[in-house]
Amino acid sequence: MATRSFPEVRPAHTMLTSYFWSGDAIRSRHVSDVVITASLDVPAPSARVLADWQRETTTQLALEPGDVEVMPLARTRMRWPDYPRCVQAMSDWTRTLGLGDALASSDIALMACRGARYHHDGEQYGGAAFCNLFLSEDQGLDLHFPGTGDRVALTRGTAVLFDTAQPHAVIPRHCRGFDAADFVAERDWTQIFLTWELPIEDAHVGHALKVRFDVAPSTAATLDEEQVRLDDVRVTVDPASGQWYPKD
């Protein structure tokens, strides 16, 4: 893969801040660099479920490299008797992290991706942490967090808890960045996973990710939309490298 070079925007001793809706007001918090992972014992999907996922991703979603799309969860629940065991495994794991009932009371979705470009979700889900459980076998893909250095091999049962505002991507294991050309057509790169949105303001979730709140209240009071700022400059993420750069 040809490696692209981008200027590093984030020097040492800077403040990366997420501004998110808390009720009717924008609240500030620092972006956590904690990534918690585990390998859980979850059942393999049945042949019927696998065939259904393949039809959905190829004929309905027509996933291209980098795409992340929602799958029909209700159909999987109906056709996969072992589905509750996956949810129970995640519930048991999050309880060991001290999260209590945060998982059970949070929204859940079934997702599919064919890799994923570097991005952050702090402009839509700044008030949440993502808790993901991967259901596919090892396709040679990693979940990469360039800002923390964490690189997680995606296999069936891989569980991950992380800050939505932390840049991340799903890339081939041998690669250093995202390039659509690396996803050769002859290989199945699809990953199916469950994702929960845990409230970042939940005391247990915030503690697990070591989040500090109200780090920039004066700036938060002037804003009317969720965003991420680096030393008070609104930033976004380069989709190939995962590095921050000014949004405007």
Side-chain angles (χ1 to χ4, degrees), residues 174-213:
H174 67 279
C175 295
R176 296 175 58 193
F178 179 86
D179 187 338
D182 292 323
F183 293 82
V184 294
E186 297 79 12
R187 182 169 176 173
D188 181 12
W189 297 101
T190 306
Q191 275 286 340
I192 308 294
F193 60 99
L194 292 168
T195 183
W196 288 259
E197 300 167 19
L198 307 187
I200 202 76
E201 290 179 294
D202 180 287
H204 303 298
V205 176
H207 177 74
L209 293 177
K210 297 181 171 59
V211 176
R212 302 188 308 274
F213 290 95

Coordinates of all heavy atoms in Angstrom, one line a residue, residues 174-213:
H174 N -2.5 -5.8 7.8 CA -1.1 -5.5 7.4 C -1.0 -4.0 7.0 O 0.1 -3.6 6.7 CB -0.7 -6.3 6.2 CG -1.5 -6.0 4.9 ND1 -2.8 -6.5 4.7 CD2 -1.3 -5.2 3.9 CE1 -3.3 -6.0 3.6 NE2 -2.4 -5.2 3.1
C175 N -2.0 -3.2 7.2 CA -2.0 -1.8 6.7 C -1.8 -0.8 7.8 O -2.2 -1.1 9.0 CB -3.3 -1.5 5.9 SG -3.5 -2.5 4.4
R176 N -1.3 0.3 7.5 CA -1.1 1.4 8.4 C -2.2 2.5 8.3 O -2.2 3.4 9.2 CB 0.3 2.0 8.2 CG 1.4 1.1 8.4 CD 2.7 1.7 8.1 NE 3.0 2.9 8.9 CZ 3.9 3.8 8.6 NH1 4.7 3.6 7.5 NH2 4.1 4.9 9.3
G177 N -3.0 2.4 7.3 CA -4.1 3.4 7.2 C -5.2 2.8 6.3 O -5.1 1.7 5.9
F178 N -6.2 3.7 6.0 CA -7.3 3.2 5.2 C -7.1 3.6 3.7 O -6.9 4.7 3.4 CB -8.6 3.8 5.7 CG -9.8 3.3 4.8 CD1 -10.5 2.2 5.1 CD2 -10.2 4.1 3.7 CE1 -11.5 1.7 4.3 CE2 -11.2 3.6 2.9 CZ -11.9 2.4 3.2
D179 N -7.2 2.5 2.9 CA -7.1 2.7 1.4 C -8.1 1.7 0.8 O -8.0 0.5 1.0 CB -5.7 2.5 0.9 CG -5.6 2.8 -0.6 OD1 -6.6 2.9 -1.3 OD2 -4.4 3.1 -1.0
A180 N -9.1 2.2 0.1 CA -10.1 1.3 -0.5 C -9.5 0.3 -1.4 O -10.1 -0.9 -1.5 CB -11.2 2.1 -1.3
A181 N -8.4 0.6 -2.0 CA -7.7 -0.4 -2.9 C -7.2 -1.6 -2.2 O -7.0 -2.6 -2.8 CB -6.6 0.3 -3.6
D182 N -7.0 -1.6 -0.9 CA -6.6 -2.7 -0.1 C -7.7 -3.8 0.0 O -7.3 -5.0 0.3 CB -6.1 -2.3 1.3 CG -4.9 -1.4 1.3 OD1 -4.0 -1.7 0.4 OD2 -4.8 -0.5 2.1
F183 N -8.9 -3.4 -0.2 CA -10.0 -4.4 0.0 C -10.3 -5.1 -1.3 O -11.2 -4.7 -2.1 CB -11.2 -3.6 0.5 CG -11.1 -3.1 1.9 CD1 -10.4 -1.9 2.1 CD2 -11.6 -3.8 3.0 CE1 -10.3 -1.4 3.4 CE2 -11.4 -3.3 4.3 CZ -10.7 -2.1 4.5
V184 N -9.5 -6.1 -1.7 CA -9.6 -6.8 -2.9 C -10.9 -7.5 -3.0 O -11.4 -8.0 -2.1 CB -8.4 -7.8 -3.1 CG1 -7.1 -7.0 -3.2 CG2 -8.4 -8.8 -2.0
A185 N -11.5 -7.5 -4.3 CA -12.8 -8.0 -4.5 C -12.9 -9.5 -4.2 O -14.0 -10.1 -3.9 CB -13.3 -7.7 -5.9
E186 N -11.8 -10.3 -4.4 CA -11.8 -11.7 -4.3 C -11.9 -12.2 -2.8 O -12.1 -13.4 -2.6 CB -10.5 -12.3 -4.8 CG -10.3 -12.0 -6.3 CD -9.8 -10.6 -6.6 OE1 -9.4 -9.9 -5.6 OE2 -9.8 -10.2 -7.8
R187 N -11.9 -11.3 -1.9 CA -12.0 -11.7 -0.5 C -13.2 -11.1 0.3 O -13.6 -10.0 -0.1 CB -10.7 -11.2 0.2 CG -10.5 -11.6 1.7 CD -9.1 -11.3 2.1 NE -9.0 -11.6 3.5 CZ -7.8 -11.5 4.2 NH1 -6.7 -11.3 3.5 NH2 -7.7 -11.8 5.5
D188 N -13.7 -11.8 1.2 CA -14.8 -11.3 2.0 C -14.3 -10.5 3.2 O -13.6 -11.1 4.1 CB -15.7 -12.5 2.5 CG -16.9 -12.0 3.3 OD1 -17.2 -10.8 3.3 OD2 -17.5 -12.9 4.0
W189 N -14.6 -9.2 3.2 CA -14.1 -8.3 4.2 C -15.2 -7.9 5.2 O -15.0 -7.1 6.1 CB -13.5 -7.0 3.6 CG -12.3 -7.3 2.7 CD1 -12.3 -7.3 1.4 CD2 -11.0 -7.4 3.1 NE1 -11.0 -7.5 0.9 CE2 -10.2 -7.6 2.0 CE3 -10.3 -7.5 4.4 CZ2 -8.8 -7.8 2.0 CZ3 -9.0 -7.7 4.4 CH2 -8.2 -7.8 3.2
T190 N -16.4 -8.5 5.1 CA -17.5 -8.0 5.8 C -17.4 -8.4 7.3 O -17.1 -9.6 7.6 CB -18.8 -8.6 5.3 OG1 -18.9 -8.3 3.9 CG2 -20.0 -8.0 6.0
Q191 N -17.7 -7.5 8.2 CA -17.8 -7.8 9.6 C -19.2 -7.3 10.1 O -19.7 -6.3 9.7 CB -16.8 -7.0 10.4 CG -15.4 -7.6 10.5 CD -15.4 -8.8 11.5 OE1 -16.3 -8.9 12.3 NE2 -14.5 -9.7 11.3
I192 N -19.8 -8.2 10.8 CA -21.1 -8.0 11.4 C -20.9 -7.8 12.9 O -20.2 -8.6 13.6 CB -22.1 -9.1 11.2 CG1 -22.2 -9.4 9.7 CG2 -23.5 -8.7 11.7 CD1 -22.8 -8.4 8.8
F193 N -21.6 -6.7 13.5 CA -21.4 -6.5 14.9 C -22.6 -5.9 15.6 O -23.4 -5.2 14.9 CB -20.1 -5.7 15.2 CG -20.1 -4.3 14.6 CD1 -20.5 -3.2 15.3 CD2 -19.8 -4.1 13.2 CE1 -20.5 -1.9 14.8 CE2 -19.8 -2.9 12.7 CZ -20.1 -1.7 13.4
L194 N -22.8 -6.1 16.8 CA -23.8 -5.5 17.7 C -23.1 -4.3 18.3 O -21.9 -4.3 18.7 CB -24.3 -6.4 18.7 CG -25.1 -7.6 18.3 CD1 -25.3 -8.6 19.4 CD2 -26.5 -7.1 17.7
T195 N -23.9 -3.2 18.4 CA -23.3 -2.0 19.1 C -24.4 -1.4 20.0 O -25.6 -1.3 19.7 CB -22.9 -0.9 18.0 OG1 -22.3 0.2 18.7 CG2 -24.0 -0.4 17.2
W196 N -23.9 -1.0 21.1 CA -24.7 -0.3 22.1 C -24.2 1.1 22.3 O -23.0 1.4 22.3 CB -24.7 -1.0 23.5 CG -25.4 -2.3 23.6 CD1 -26.6 -2.6 24.1 CD2 -24.9 -3.6 23.2 NE1 -26.9 -3.9 24.1 CE2 -25.8 -4.6 23.5 CE3 -23.7 -4.0 22.6 CZ2 -25.7 -5.9 23.2 CZ3 -23.5 -5.4 22.3 CH2 -24.5 -6.3 22.6
E197 N -25.1 2.1 22.6 CA -24.8 3.5 22.9 C -25.0 3.6 24.4 O -26.1 3.8 24.9 CB -25.6 4.4 22.1 CG -25.5 4.3 20.6 CD -26.6 5.1 19.9 OE1 -27.2 6.0 20.5 OE2 -26.9 4.8 18.7
L198 N -23.9 3.6 25.1 CA -23.9 3.8 26.6 C -23.8 5.3 26.9 O -23.0 6.0 26.4 CB -22.8 3.0 27.3 CG -22.7 1.5 26.9 CD1 -21.6 0.9 27.8 CD2 -24.0 0.8 27.0
P199 N -24.7 5.8 27.8 CA -24.6 7.2 28.2 C -23.3 7.6 28.9 O -23.0 7.0 29.9 CB -25.8 7.4 29.1 CG -26.1 6.0 29.6 CD -25.7 5.1 28.6
I200 N -22.6 8.5 28.3 CA -21.3 8.9 28.9 C -21.4 9.5 30.2 O -20.5 9.5 31.0 CB -20.5 9.8 27.9 CG1 -19.0 9.7 28.1 CG2 -21.1 11.2 27.9 CD1 -18.3 8.5 27.6
E201 N -22.6 10.1 30.5 CA -22.8 10.8 31.8 C -23.2 9.8 32.9 O -23.2 10.2 34.1 CB -23.9 11.8 31.7 CG -23.4 13.0 30.8 CD -24.5 14.1 30.7 OE1 -25.6 13.8 30.1 OE2 -24.4 15.2 31.3
D202 N -23.5 8.5 32.5 CA -23.7 7.5 33.5 C -22.4 7.4 34.4 O -21.3 7.3 33.8 CB -24.0 6.2 32.9 CG -24.2 5.0 33.9 OD1 -23.2 4.6 34.5 OD2 -25.4 4.6 34.0
A203 N -22.5 7.5 35.7 CA -21.4 7.5 36.6 C -20.5 6.3 36.3 O -19.2 6.5 36.4 CB -21.8 7.6 38.0
H204 N -21.0 5.2 36.1 CA -20.2 4.0 35.9 C -19.5 4.0 34.6 O -18.3 3.6 34.5 CB -21.1 2.7 36.0 CG -21.9 2.6 37.3 ND1 -21.3 2.5 38.5 CD2 -23.2 2.6 37.5 CE1 -22.2 2.4 39.4 NE2 -23.4 2.5 38.8
V205 N -20.1 4.4 33.5 CA -19.5 4.5 32.2 C -18.4 5.6 32.2 O -17.2 5.3 31.8 CB -20.5 4.8 31.1 CG1 -19.8 5.0 29.8 CG2 -21.6 3.8 31.0
G206 N -18.7 6.7 32.8 CA -17.7 7.8 32.9 C -16.4 7.4 33.7 O -15.3 7.7 33.3
H207 N -16.7 6.6 34.8 CA -15.6 6.1 35.6 C -14.7 5.1 34.8 O -13.5 5.2 34.9 CB -16.1 5.5 36.9 CG -15.1 5.0 37.8 ND1 -14.2 5.7 38.5 CD2 -14.7 3.7 38.0 CE1 -13.4 5.0 39.2 NE2 -13.6 3.7 38.9
A208 N -15.4 4.2 34.1 CA -14.6 3.2 33.4 C -13.7 3.8 32.3 O -12.6 3.3 32.1 CB -15.6 2.2 32.8
L209 N -14.2 4.8 31.7 CA -13.4 5.5 30.6 C -12.6 6.7 31.2 O -11.9 7.3 30.4 CB -14.3 6.0 29.5 CG -15.0 4.8 28.7 CD1 -15.9 5.4 27.7 CD2 -14.0 3.9 28.1
K210 N -12.6 6.9 32.5 CA -11.9 8.0 33.1 C -12.1 9.3 32.5 O -11.2 10.1 32.2 CB -10.4 7.7 33.1 CG -10.0 6.4 33.8 CD -8.5 6.1 33.8 CE -8.0 5.0 34.7 NZ -8.7 3.7 34.4
V211 N -13.4 9.6 32.2 CA -13.8 10.9 31.6 C -13.9 12.0 32.6 O -14.4 11.8 33.7 CB -15.2 10.7 30.9 CG1 -15.7 12.1 30.4 CG2 -15.1 9.7 29.8
R212 N -13.3 13.2 32.3 CA -13.4 14.4 33.1 C -14.4 15.3 32.4 O -14.3 15.6 31.2 CB -12.1 15.1 33.2 CG -10.9 14.2 33.8 CD -9.7 15.0 34.0 NE -9.3 15.8 32.9 CZ -8.5 15.3 31.9 NH1 -8.1 14.0 32.0 NH2 -8.1 16.0 30.9
F213 N -15.4 15.7 33.2 CA -16.5 16.5 32.7 C -16.3 18.0 33.0 O -15.6 18.4 33.9 CB -17.8 16.1 33.3 CG -18.3 14.7 32.8 CD1 -18.0 13.6 33.5 CD2 -18.9 14.6 31.6 CE1 -18.4 12.3 33.0 CE2 -19.3 13.3 31.1 CZ -19.1 12.2 31.8

